[in-house]
Amino acid sequence: MLDTISTFYHSLDAVGRTTMITTPILLLAVAVLLVLERKFPYRKGLPFFREGLFVDLFWYTLVQSYFLQILIFGFIIAPLAAHFGARFHVVSSWPVAAQVAFFVITHDFYIYWFHRFQHSSAFFWRTHEAHHSGKHVDWLAGSRSHIVEIIINQTIEFAPIILLGANPIVVPIKALIDAVWGMYIHANIDVKSGKLQYVINGPEMHLWHHADHEEVYYANFSTKFAFWDWMFGTAFLPANRKPERWGLPYAFPKDYFAQHAFSVVRFDEAALAEKSAVFRAYHGVRWRVLGWVGEHVPAAKVLQGWPVDQGPAETVPAPRPGGNPAPTAPVVATATADSSRPVATPVA
């Protein structure tokens, strides 16, 4: 058996061999995060089989990631590489570790600013709101990202690696770092990293970013390195306080395809299900299937997931020195024509 594995491993190219190493590391990271979420939860009592788990795991993690990888590398990056080649050879002579560090830092700098821009643009917010739609944030929640957002970010992430002449194994190594770090910052783990949080980003700050609190609508945009937020004045990390409400301040579809349609045309998922027999039939098929399975196999009922307590009924307003003045307009808003996220009232 070991001889067969060894023969197969050595038959692969450098990228294939590296992927054979990074894949089990990724799976080990998942197992470690799952244990830590159970042992040291940031929000206690949240189930593993939670609302949206099927959508995040099957549609976003497995299906979307698979097809977008083919699209991005096969139809965007490959033609760019064929046309331009590695003509620049900027990093070709660097050690692999230096190449990885360079692309991790530069891409993270780009992600900070693009992420910040998405929160300020009504149009680009539509490509990002799905990521904030979950009421339960855990190790898998980071996988929920709009197709357009993934295409933009991964093209800008991996095209330079190819075009600047990096070692091909940088791609799977950086993909592993991205995946593990992305799972970590969304993990439901009560981390106390102290002064390290000024440098390395983790759940302490990023879980606040997913809160439906007025004070963090425009804060904590960093992914891997928290120092971007501290450097550019967008850091938010209150002491001895945790978010009370999570997700979006307006109704968001629970279905994968409806979530993407919602970014183009605003609609109420429940109301549409009442009006349209076709949508109602499509919308309810998964629940009917899982309900039938749950009736015949009681242990499978958990696959349906459980709704998560949303906490306060409205967006939590930002605390202001001297108390909060009476707002001239409601803080909470439903989906509007321009579909932008409600603008927070500046802190006095």
Side-chain angles (χ1 to χ4, degrees):
M1 180 66 177
L2 292 177
D3 290 340
T4 303
I5 295 175
S6 177
T7 301
F8 174 72
Y9 175 81
H10 287 94
S11 69
L12 300 172
D13 59 13
V15 174
R17 291 196 296 271
T18 304
T19 304
M20 285 280 289
I21 296 172
T22 58
T23 300
I25 294 175
L26 176 63
L27 296 176
L28 176 61
V30 171
V32 170
L33 290 175
L34 286 174
V35 172
L36 292 176
E37 284 192 330
R38 304 274 76 80
K39 293 290 186 180
F40 310 102
Y42 186 82
R43 298 169 66 193
K44 296 181 179 180
L46 294 180
F48 172 79
F49 293 101
R50 42 80 171 177
E51 184 182 68
L53 176 68
F54 177 84
V55 172
D56 292 344
L57 181 59
F58 180 75
W59 286 110
Y60 281 103
T61 302
L62 299 179
V63 177
Q64 179 172 284
S65 295
Y66 176 76
F67 285 104
L68 285 188
Q69 184 179 37
I70 295 174
L71 172 65
I72 293 168
F73 282 90
F75 295 91
I76 299 177
I77 295 180
L80 287 173
H83 181 73
F84 294 102
R87 65 176 61 178
F88 303 108
H89 296 285
V90 175
V91 301
S92 300
S93 61
W94 298 7
V96 170
Q99 294 180 27
V100 171
F102 172 76
F103 289 111
V104 166
I105 295 172
T106 55
H107 182 253
D108 199 58
F109 180 70
Y110 151 77
I111 283 292
Y112 169 84
W113 285 107
F114 183 66
H115 186 188
R116 184 170 174 174
F117 172 66
Q118 286 178 296
H119 278 254
S120 302
S121 165
F123 177 81
F124 279 94
W125 170 250
R126 293 193 181 208
T127 69
H128 185 60
E129 63 184 339
H131 186 70
H132 283 266
S133 63
K135 304 297 183 183
H136 179 151
V137 185
D138 60 9
W139 68 280
L140 189 59
S143 66
R144 183 177 295 198
S145 295
H146 193 282
I147 285 177
V148 173
E149 181 179 40
I150 295 297
I151 291 175
I152 293 173
N153 285 336
Q154 290 198 359
T155 299
I156 293 176
E157 174 180 11
F158 291 110
I161 295 176
I162 305 301
L163 298 178
L164 295 181
N167 190 312
I169 69 171
V170 170
V171 171
I173 293 174
K174 187 176 186 306
L176 172 66
I177 294 172
D178 291 342
V180 174
W181 217 315
M183 291 188 299
Y184 170 63
I185 65 175
H186 293 93
N188 185 43
I189 304 174
D190 197 10
V191 178
K192 297 291 190 298
S193 53
K195 292 184 178 180
L196 188 62
Q197 183 59 67
Y198 288 100
V199 182
I200 303 298
N201 198 28
E204 281 174 286
M205 286 181 65
H206 200 73
L207 290 179
W208 264 108
H209 179 71
H210 280 263
D212 185 16
H213 282 231
E214 186 185 22
E215 57 205 335
V216 287
Y217 279 170
Y218 306 103
N220 296 2
F221 300 113
S222 295
T223 300
K224 297 180 181 66
F225 301 109
F227 55 67
W228 304 128
D229 278 307
W230 297 104
M231 185 184 303
F232 298 114
T234 53
F236 180 82
L237 186 59
N240 303 317
R241 186 160 67 92
K242 293 181 179 180
E244 301 174 41
R245 181 177 166 87
W246 303 78
L248 297 170
Y250 50 87
F252 191 79
K254 299 181 184 299
D255 175 77
Y256 171 81
F257 295 101
Q259 289 172 359
H260 283 80
F262 188 75
S263 67
V264 180
V265 179
R266 296 318 216 188
F267 60 90
D268 183 280
E269 190 176 33
L272 184 59
E274 291 182 3
K275 295 178 181 179
S276 171
V278 174
F279 183 78
R280 185 165 59 251
Y282 161 74
H283 186 260
V285 65
R286 179 169 65 88
W287 288 103
R288 287 196 296 274
V289 171
L290 293 177
W292 182 88
V293 173
E295 290 178 1
H296 292 78
V297 184
K301 288 183 178 180
V302 295
L303 293 176
Q304 296 184 55
W306 293 291
V308 177
D309 180 16
Q310 298 182 21
E314 298 180 343
T315 299
V316 179
R320 292 165 171 77
N324 288 354
T328 57
V331 173
V332 180
T334 56
T336 56
D338 67 359
S339 307
S340 61
R341 190 162 187 160
V343 177
T345 304
V347 176

